[in-house]
Every structure is written in structure tokens, then in C-alpha cells.
């Protein structure tokens, strides 16, 4: 059996990611110290620490920085998650202590638009199918079921992008679920079952304070395959440029619609023969 798992960043949504290990434990005194020994700057990332449920029960503790200010945090199944950054040669201390978390500190939002969920933070939003679970009476082509990523946008810009499952395998069942919903991370999972066997799982994560969405995929078909089954991310589908620029010594910009209007009229574009006998 082979399981291919890899992380694909939506580079168009800005940035690249480093997934932190969930092996470190929160000390008994609740103090977490981050130190960089002159190696490099560390951009904001979601960090994970194991937290003893008896000492740090979810929903009854808050995380504070060195100034005593609460920062968004969440605990899922004994794992503490929070966002932190660190400058080269710097250090930062956080303390997990009794308290009631303030949900207003988080930029994460989950809303419904028709038959889709919108997962958003202060930077971007993604659209995914609403939670559902269905076992099909008869298998259907992968194109006949909703794909996991339905679109994305930056700020208030128009929606664009999407995804497609590219495979000859037929789908027998699927399940869409919101598996994590906290002030630090919102994680969505789309799971597809194929016939005669096989499974594909797509997880989409949007985090507080991070200018990107993370798409994590797992394929398991029970054997080594030719590699012809995959998810196509169409991150620029439907994108329309607002302006058009021509560089010729200096850049001349004009609204795209204004530039295209005369070009689309009959006879404006003369024929451009290609080929033939050269002189």
C-alpha cells in the first residue's frame, strides 16, 4: 500500500509555509519561550504544542504574550495552536494561564453562501462545498461531484479560481466536513471514495493572521499507480485584469475594457498570415 501525502501552497494567495511539529509540550508552568540563535527571521506561522488536558483544559485557558496581552489560541484534542513570529536573534515568551478566551481577537470567519461555505481571515477567503455526506446509488465520474475548492478571493476582490478532480476513477461516496473551527485555524476536509477501491482526502486550512490558504492532499488507492489521478487547482480561473499596460520605453496603462473595445470591432485586427515560402 502506498500513501502519497504532500502540501501544496496556493502561491497566488501569497507566501509559503513551514508546518511546525506537534511534539513539544507546554511546560507545567505554562510558559513557552521561542528563541532564534542568530539563524534567520521567522515569519508568522501556526505553532503547535501538546497541552495536558488536566492542567490546560480547552476553553478555560488563555495565551498571553510577554506584555500580558491575550493572543488568539485554540486547543484541539490536547494540541495547543497559536500564531507567532520571531526576528533573527530574538526571543518571545507566551504563557498559558486560566481564563476565558476572547473570540473577538480572531480574524477568522465562517459563513454560508448558498450551497457553499466561506472560510475567511483578514487577508483572503476560500469557498468550499457545505458539509454533507452522501453514498451514491451508482458510481459517477469525478467531474459529477463537487470539487473541494470552489474559489478564492483576496480581500473584497471578485471570486476566482476553483479545482477539478482529474481521474478516470468513479466516485462511490463523498463527505464534506468542518473538522476544526477555532480562533487560530479553520480546517475543512473533503473525502472521496472510489470504486473498486481507493480514497482521496483534501484538507483546506485558513489561519488567523496568515496571508495564505493551505491545501493538503492524500491519495490512497491500495497500490502503486501511474500517477494519473490528481486535483487540478485553477487558482487564476475567472481572473479579469483591471488595467492593461504597454511597455515601450515607459509603461502606458489604460483600463482593460477601454483598450479592448476598439480591438473587438470587425476589421480592427488585420489578418496575420503564418507560414508560406520564405524569400
Amino acid at each position: 500500500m502506498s500513501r502519497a501525502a504532500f502540501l501544496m501552497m496556493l502561491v497566488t494567495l501569497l507566501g509559503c509555509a513551514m508546518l511546525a511539529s506537534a511534539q513539544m509540550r507546554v511546560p507545567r508552568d505554562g510558559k513557552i519561550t521561542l528563541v532564534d540563535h542568530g539563524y534567520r527571521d521567522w515569519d508568522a506561522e501556526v505553532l503547535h504544542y501538546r497541552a495536558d488536558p488536566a492542567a490546560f483544559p480547552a476553553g478555560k485557558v488563555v495565551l498571553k504574550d510577554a506584555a500580558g496581552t491575550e493572543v488568539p489560541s485554540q486547543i484541539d484534542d490536547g494540541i495547543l495552536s497559536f500564531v507567532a513570529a520571531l526576528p533573527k536573534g530574538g526571543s518571545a515568551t507566551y504563557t498559558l494561564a486560566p481564563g476565558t478566551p476572547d473570540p473577538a481577537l480572531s480574524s477568522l470567519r465562517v459563513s454560508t453562501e448558498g450551497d457553499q461555505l466561506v472560510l475567511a481571515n483578514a487577508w483572503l477567503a476560500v469557498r468550499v462545498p457545505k458539509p454533507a455526506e452522501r453514498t451514491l446509488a451508482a458510481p459517477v465520474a469525478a467531474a459529477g461531484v463537487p470539487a473541494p475548492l470552489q474559489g478564492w478571493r483576496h480581500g473584497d476582490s471578485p471570486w476566482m479560481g476553483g479545482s477539478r478532480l482529474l481521474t478516470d476513477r468513479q466516485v462511490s461516496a463523498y463527505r464534506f466536513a468542518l473538522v476544526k473551527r477555532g480562533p487560530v485555524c479553520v480546517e475543512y476536509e473533503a473525502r472521496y471514495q472510489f470504486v473498486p477501491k481507493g480514497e482521496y482526502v483534501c484538507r483546506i486550512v485558513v489561519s488567523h493572521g496568515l496571508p495564505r490558504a493551505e491545501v493538503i492532499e492524500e491519495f490512497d488507492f491500495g497500490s502503486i499507480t501511474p500517477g494519473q489521478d490528481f486535483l487540478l487547482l485553477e487558482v487564476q480561473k475567472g481572473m479579469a485584469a483591471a488595467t492593461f499596460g504597454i511597455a515601450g520605453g515607459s509603461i502606458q496603462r489604460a483600463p482593460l475594457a477601454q483598450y479592448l473595445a476598439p480591438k473587438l470591432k470587425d476589421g480592427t485586427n488585420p489578418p496575420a498570415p503564418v507560414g508560406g515560402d520564405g524569400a
Side-chain angles (χ1 to χ4, degrees):
M1 178 179 295
S2 66
R3 178 175 290 269
F6 56 94
L7 175 70
M8 298 199 311
M9 295 292 95
L10 300 186
V11 179
T12 308
L13 305 188
L14 301 177
C16 58
M18 173 191 70
L19 297 183
S21 169
Q23 302 304 312
M24 299 295 291
R25 292 183 178 274
V26 178
R28 291 187 177 183
D29 61 3
K31 290 187 177 181
I32 300 171
T33 300
L34 309 177
V35 180
D36 177 78
H37 299 281
Y39 178 58
R40 67 175 178 86
D41 293 325
W42 298 87
D43 292 333
E45 299 290 346
V46 179
L47 305 184
H48 307 280
Y49 283 78
R50 295 191 180 278
D52 182 358
F56 308 106
K60 297 183 178 180
V61 291
V62 297
L63 188 68
K64 296 183 178 182
D65 61 18
T69 302
E70 181 185 351
V71 298
S73 65
Q74 72 186 64
I75 298 178
D76 299 294
D77 300 323
I79 302 297
L80 167 70
S81 301
F82 64 99
V83 176
L86 198 64
K88 179 178 179 179
S91 64
T93 300
Y94 297 88
T95 303
L96 196 58
T100 301
D102 182 0
L105 297 176
S106 175
S107 64
L108 291 181
R109 299 291 182 267
V110 178
S111 59
T112 301
E113 289 186 3
D115 59 355
Q116 298 175 333
L117 280 184
V118 177
L119 317 179
N121 63 15
W123 294 85
L124 57 93
V126 298
R127 293 196 298 199
V128 295
K130 287 174 62 175
E133 185 169 3
R134 185 178 178 188
T135 298
L136 304 175
V140 301
V145 299
L149 181 66
Q150 298 287 309
W152 71 276
R153 69 181 180 186
H154 179 264
D156 295 327
S157 65
W159 288 102
M160 68 180 75
S163 64
R164 286 185 287 154
L165 285 168
L166 298 183
T167 177
D168 291 332
R169 301 171 189 266
Q170 292 191 311
V171 177
S172 60
Y174 60 83
R175 183 176 71 90
F176 307 135
L178 202 57
V179 295
K180 289 183 181 180
R181 183 176 181 175
V184 175
C185 298
V186 173
E187 181 176 333
Y188 175 87
E189 180 182 274
R191 187 177 295 267
Y192 302 84
Q193 301 290 334
F194 298 91
V195 290
K197 62 180 179 179
E199 180 181 59
Y200 168 72
V201 181
C202 178
R203 298 183 182 90
I204 299 175
V205 183
V206 177
S207 302
H208 166 77
L210 300 190
R212 62 176 178 266
E214 296 169 5
V215 179
I216 304 162
E217 297 183 281
E218 294 180 15
F219 284 93
D220 188 356
F221 295 129
S223 62
I224 296 176
T225 71
Q228 298 177 346
D229 311 280
F230 56 92
L231 178 75
L232 175 64
L233 290 175
E234 302 172 301
V235 294
Q236 294 178 311
K237 179 181 178 181
M239 182 179 70
T243 60
F244 182 85
I246 301 177
S250 62
I251 297 179
Q252 301 175 5
R253 297 187 181 275
L256 182 62
Q258 176 182 321
Y259 173 81
L260 291 178
K263 304 292 183 181
L264 297 177
K265 294 180 180 179
D266 292 340
T268 300
N269 291 324
V274 176
D277 297 326

